[in-house]
Amino acid sequence: KMEKEMEGSVRRLLYEPFELLTNCRRRVQVVLLQELAQEYRAKFNVLFNAMMKEKSHCVEAIEERNKKLRSILGELKMTEAVVSPPKYELENPKSVLTVRDDEIKAEKWISPEEKERLDALKAAEDERMRKLRENDSGARALMQMMGGTLKTKKDLSPLEIILEREEWMDMIPLDEMTEEQRAAVAEFERKEKELQEAQDKY
């Protein structure tokens, strides 16, 4: 495909091998071949950039689905790993200008003033965490009153809603139930069916 697109370029000006009889023609051929190589590189870069753009769109679509998948796993309280597409540094030309910390073998020098500042920050953070552990009444109250979450029933997604069937519904035979009890069982089964449909759609 690339060769067809370049039929109208300097390629048509090239000499045939048996036509290179003089030094002048040979020098002209060298210049034409260099120009042709430059055109090949330019065409390749166009194709490469188009491919990278298409790949970028595909990766974004995968990451969007992974984000929703992680949200669903969080609601289900599952810790299953979600694989993301790997990124290769060689695909980004600007990566050669970036120096990572693991590439620096020499130990980083820290001035005495900077070391003192970092030690003070660490001590302050340790003290803050110690006070939080000593007085964690807010977390205890949240766990006792709301089951460890700030969400109300209206805020819960279908996957987080759990219907609890009362014990008497399984202990009393259907033919021995009163009208009120049968109505309560029917209402529970209706809600259970609606919840199952909502979970399937979610």
Side-chain angles (χ1 to χ4, degrees), residues 8-198:
S9 66
V10 296
R11 186 168 185 170
R12 60 185 176 82
L13 302 176
L14 292 174
Y15 291 103
E16 294 295 333
F18 293 107
E19 294 178 339
L20 299 174
L21 301 177
T22 64
N23 288 334
C24 180
R25 286 190 176 186
R26 291 169 186 156
R27 286 192 290 269
V28 170
Q29 186 83 331
V30 169
V31 175
L32 293 176
L33 288 174
Q34 291 175 345
E35 183 65 22
L36 182 62
Q38 180 64 26
E39 288 187 10
Y40 269 111
R41 287 191 288 268
K43 290 289 184 181
F44 173 81
N45 288 339
V46 171
L47 294 175
F48 182 81
N49 290 334
M51 183 273 295
M52 288 301 300
K53 185 178 294 185
E54 183 178 354
K55 178 182 177 181
S56 177
H57 292 330
C58 292
V59 170
E60 289 176 2
I62 293 174
E63 288 294 348
E64 187 65 26
R65 293 188 179 184
N66 283 348
K67 183 179 179 181
K68 185 174 182 180
L69 183 58
R70 291 188 184 96
S71 176
I72 293 175
L73 290 174
E75 293 172 357
L76 294 174
K77 294 181 174 58
M78 298 176 63
T79 57
E80 185 175 344
V82 179
V83 180
S84 296
K87 296 181 180 179
Y88 301 97
E89 291 187 3
L90 295 179
E91 294 180 353
N92 180 17
K94 294 182 180 179
S95 63
V96 297
L97 303 176
T98 303
V99 180
R100 303 190 308 271
D101 291 340
D102 58 353
E103 294 178 332
I104 302 176
K105 304 304 180 181
E107 184 178 354
K108 183 178 179 181
W109 183 82
I110 301 177
S111 64
E113 294 80 7
E114 181 68 11
K115 187 175 185 303
E116 183 178 352
R117 186 183 70 84
L118 293 175
D119 291 342
L121 289 176
K122 185 177 182 301
E125 179 64 16
D126 292 342
E127 180 65 16
R128 187 181 71 84
M129 294 302 296
R130 184 186 66 80
K131 291 181 178 180
L132 284 176
R133 287 192 295 268
E134 290 179 353
N135 186 20
D136 200 11
S137 58
R140 289 196 299 269
L142 178 64
M143 184 62 67
Q144 293 173 358
M145 294 186 296
M146 305 187 68
T149 178
L150 291 174
K151 291 184 177 181
T152 64
K153 291 184 177 180
K154 293 182 179 180
D155 297 329
L156 295 177
S157 69
L159 296 177
E160 294 177 300
I161 297 176
I162 299 176
L163 295 179
E164 295 184 1
R165 187 181 179 91
E166 298 184 28
E167 294 183 1
W168 63 266
M169 293 183 179
D170 297 321
M171 298 175 61
I172 303 176
L174 185 61
D175 55 356
E176 296 181 8
M177 291 183 183
T178 63
E179 292 297 329
E180 291 79 4
Q181 289 174 331
R182 290 182 181 179
V185 172
E187 178 68 14
F188 176 82
E189 292 177 349
R190 182 185 65 79
K191 290 182 179 180
E192 190 176 37
K193 182 179 179 181
E194 291 178 353
L195 178 60
Q196 184 62 42
E197 293 176 352

